[in-house]
Amino acid sequence: MKAAIVGTGYVGLVSGVVFADAGIKTICVDNDQAKLKMLRSGKSPIFEPGLEEMMQRVEEKGHISFTDSISDAVQASDVIFIAVGTPPQEDGSPDLSYVKAVARDIGRAITKYIVIVDKSTVPVGTAKMVHEIILGECGDASLFDVVSSPEFLREGSAVEDTVNPDRVVIGADSERALNTVKRLYTGFPTEILETDIASAELIKYASNCFLATKISFINMISRYCEAAGGNVDDVAKGMGMDTRIGKQFLKAGLGWGGSCFPKDVSALIWMGETLGVDAGILTSTVAINEDQPAHCLRRVSEELGGLEGKKIAIFGLSFKPHTDDIRDAKSLVIIDALRSMGASISATDPICMDEVAKLHPDVEMHTDAISAAQGADAAILVTEWPEYAGIELSDLASALKTPLLFDGRRVFTAEDAKAAGIKRLTIGEQG
Ligand SMILES: NC(=O)c1ccc[n+]([C@@H]2O[C@H](COP(=O)([O-])OP(=O)(O)OC[C@H]3O[C@@H](n4cnc5c(N)ncnc54)[C@H](O)[C@@H]3O)[C@@H](O)[C@H]2O)c1
């Protein structure tokens, strides 16, 4: 069994490396020459725990190779995955131009039977569109099948999620294609859901939108706690003890960001508009999420008597811990808003400072939280990297001009803050 994956991003590279580690000869394709150069020298262009080590191991064994030639990959493989980006457009729809370009290149190269798997997150009807593009190029429908198998890995634990997936969804309308893809997952400890293609395409959007809604729901509840009393963590705990609700994705905070939730929620709203389906829940989910950083800054501003001329320290820049991804990160929203209010910014992050500095050269970068806080009027904890839980709050209080911390991810308790002599504001608690 030989596999190829087009796109060596978070999804494609991790999937390729994990397949190769499972003994499947895998070809990874990308058209970014700088990425290919790094990959061939054993360096991962992205940060994911455990990825680079596993990649070096499979490269030594000769189980993985890297190329810019989709044609070579098609010739050498039984299955080819499309794992290129599908970024959001102005109207919320995903940009399918990368998927279409890859489909055309695959179509031109086909000479023997191959299964094409849409792994990118794409709207219902995309597998059909990919089929038409490929047929238009190769002219023989017996030479290929198109299958939808969306990806569910989480950045920050992508390798672990791919080695031990919760589920593998395979949407296929051909037994031959279904069985070929199933064979790839022999040996993976997972449940396989076989379904029709449209359902597979929808499962991905439905899953991400449900998770985003769960987070926005608890953030809505957090406002009740702030207004009426109560602790949102206790409310979430009590809700999560009900197995029908579940504990996960009930952490109140500055809201969701990243490369998937924002664009997938926008895409499902857009799909609703085009299909005549009312996606009202999702528009509220977005509205709640967009107000979280603004709500944080309103509260900090009230406490400081305005933000004009103030300096604010930001702890954490990636959209969540354990990743170098800053796409749609709350830190960027907060930096923009602070700047527009006339504040200056110092910041720290274990991995992302260089990337953010390219976008915001005026942000002062520091290697640790206490240095970032030195002389600032307040600090905002934006991303809950584990190292920030170890911040000595009394040191933070001494470093800040005003001992004020907005704990945007509810890392510290009211008691921790009181004992250290620092004023703690947070989401979902009065104070
Ligand atoms: N990142 C995640 O956590 C995640 C999780 C599940 C699903 N997804 C979905 O998977 C898809 C890929 O996401 P990602 O985060 O890995 O994207 P990414 O932007 O990190 O990587 C995409 C890669 O595709 C390459 N590429 C683009 N066009 C190409 C072409 N014509 N030929 C060869 N290579 C090409 C790019 O150079 C890039 O390396 C998206 O649809 C995304 O929504 C992402």
Side-chain angles (χ1 to χ4, degrees), residues 10-11 13-19 21 46-55 57 151-168 185 187-190 320 322:
Y10 290 87
V11 169
L13 182 60
V14 173
S15 305
V17 167
V18 170
F19 279 141
D21 199 50
I46 52 167
F47 172 77
E48 272 299 326
L51 177 61
E52 198 164 84
E53 297 82 337
M54 191 183 264
M55 192 179 99
R57 188 164 75 229
E151 180 54 57
F152 300 99
L153 64 77
R154 295 161 302 173
E155 286 180 24
S157 55
V159 172
E160 175 55 28
D161 292 346
T162 311
V163 172
N164 292 301
D166 285 341
R167 78 288 210 195
V168 170
Y185 288 96
F188 281 80
T190 187
K320 67 175 184 180
H322 307 291

Side-chain angles (χ1 to χ4, degrees), residues 4 13 37 50 54 63 65 67 72 75 87 99 159 179 237-238 247 255 264 268 270 279 303 317 371 408 430:
L13 182 60
K37 196 170 168 206
M54 191 183 264
H63 285 180
S65 58
T67 177
D72 289 355
Q75 305 304 324
V99 172
V159 172
N179 291 331
K237 195 170 174 189
K247 294 183 173 57
D264 293 351
L268 200 58
W270 167 82
E303 203 63 34
L317 297 167
S371 318
Q430 288 179 331

Side-chain angles (χ1 to χ4, degrees), residues 243-355:
T243 51
R244 293 170 303 176
I245 296 174
K247 294 183 173 57
Q248 294 195 45
F249 282 76
L250 280 181
K251 182 84 184 164
L254 290 170
W256 39 271
S259 66
C260 289
F261 282 10
K263 87 172 170 57
D264 293 351
V265 175
S266 299
L268 200 58
I269 294 172
W270 167 82
M271 247 188 280
E273 282 161 8
T274 61
L275 296 168
V277 177
D278 181 359
I281 288 183
L282 296 180
T283 46
S284 299
T285 291
V286 171
I288 291 169
N289 194 55
E290 286 181 350
D291 197 48
Q292 287 305 94
H295 179 61
C296 152
L297 294 182
R298 279 193 297 270
R299 292 181 63 198
V300 173
S301 175
E302 251 167 48
E303 203 63 34
L304 294 177
L307 286 165
E308 176 82 44
K310 301 286 180 350
K311 182 175 178 183
I312 307 296
I314 292 181
F315 302 159
L317 297 167
S318 53
F319 87 90
K320 67 175 184 180
H322 307 291
T323 180
D324 58 350
D325 199 342
I326 55 167
R327 289 178 282 185
D328 262 314
K330 290 296 175 204
S331 63
L332 302 181
V333 178
I334 288 174
I335 288 171
D336 281 339
L338 281 171
R339 217 203 275 105
S340 71
M341 292 171 189
S344 61
I345 301 138
S346 56
T348 186
D349 186 278
I351 301 187
C352 302
M353 291 195 287
D354 291 348
E355 277 309 299

Side-chain angles (χ1 to χ4, degrees), residues 80-395:
I80 186 160
F81 288 83
I82 302 178
V84 293
T86 48
Q89 305 186 105
E90 259 323 277
D91 63 355
S93 64
D95 178 356
L96 296 179
S97 58
Y98 304 97
V99 172
K100 288 180 186 168
V102 171
R104 272 193 297 276
D105 285 349
I106 291 174
R108 285 182 198 133
I110 290 181
T111 52
K112 59 162 183 57
Y113 182 78
I114 188 164
V115 178
I116 296 100
V117 184
D118 274 345
K119 201 166 232 333
S120 297
T121 303
V122 288
V124 176
T126 303
K128 207 165 154 220
M129 179 199 78
V130 166
H131 191 280
E132 278 160 15
I133 293 172
I134 295 176
L135 185 59
E137 294 294 338
C138 81
D140 185 348
S142 72
L143 287 182
F144 71 98
D145 281 302
V146 179
V147 163
S148 168
S149 183
E151 180 54 57
F152 300 99
L153 64 77
R154 295 161 302 173
E155 286 180 24
S157 55
V159 172
E160 175 55 28
D161 292 346
T162 311
V163 172
N164 292 301
D166 285 341
R167 78 288 210 195
V168 170
V169 172
I170 308 176
D173 57 10
S174 127
E175 276 298 308
R176 184 179 183 187
L178 174 68
N179 291 331
T180 307
V181 181
K182 273 170 78 178
R183 239 182 304 133
L184 269 182
Y185 288 96
T186 316
F188 281 80
T190 187
E191 216 176 309
I192 292 183
L193 175 68
E194 299 169 20
T195 178
D196 62 275
I197 292 173
S199 301
E201 289 171 332
L202 260 178
I203 285 168
K204 173 66 193 176
Y205 282 114
S207 302
N208 273 1
C209 291
F210 187 77
L211 293 172
T213 302
K214 231 178 147 184
I215 297 172
S216 283
F217 186 88
I218 198 67
N219 279 335
M220 176 192 75
I221 296 295
S222 75
R223 299 292 178 94
Y224 285 82
C225 295
E226 289 169 26
N231 178 316
V232 73
D233 283 345
D234 289 342
V235 178
K237 195 170 174 189
M239 288 170 66
M241 287 162 92
D242 184 330
T243 51
R244 293 170 303 176
I245 296 174
K247 294 183 173 57
Q248 294 195 45
F249 282 76
L250 280 181
K251 182 84 184 164
L254 290 170
W256 39 271
S259 66
C260 289
F261 282 10
K263 87 172 170 57
D264 293 351
V265 175
S266 299
L268 200 58
I269 294 172
W270 167 82
M271 247 188 280
E273 282 161 8
T274 61
L275 296 168
V277 177
D278 181 359
I281 288 183
L282 296 180
T283 46
S284 299
T285 291
V286 171
I288 291 169
N289 194 55
E290 286 181 350
D291 197 48
Q292 287 305 94
H295 179 61
C296 152
L297 294 182
R298 279 193 297 270
R299 292 181 63 198
V300 173
S301 175
E302 251 167 48
E303 203 63 34
L304 294 177
L307 286 165
E308 176 82 44
K310 301 286 180 350
K311 182 175 178 183
I312 307 296
I314 292 181
F315 302 159
L317 297 167
S318 53
F319 87 90
K320 67 175 184 180
H322 307 291
T323 180
D324 58 350
D325 199 342
I326 55 167
R327 289 178 282 185
D328 262 314
K330 290 296 175 204
S331 63
L332 302 181
V333 178
I334 288 174
I335 288 171
D336 281 339
L338 281 171
R339 217 203 275 105
S340 71
M341 292 171 189
S344 61
I345 301 138
S346 56
T348 186
D349 186 278
I351 301 187
C352 302
M353 291 195 287
D354 291 348
E355 277 309 299
V356 175
K358 281 184 210 156
L359 300 172
H360 296 285
D362 55 324
V363 173
E364 242 181 55
M365 295 295 177
H366 292 267
T367 48
D368 64 273
I370 300 297
S371 318
Q374 209 69 47
D377 294 277
I380 304 177
L381 195 157
V382 177
T383 312
E384 66 277 35
W385 283 95
E387 38 271 71
Y388 301 149
I391 293 172
E392 213 39 85
L393 288 183
S394 50
D395 293 348

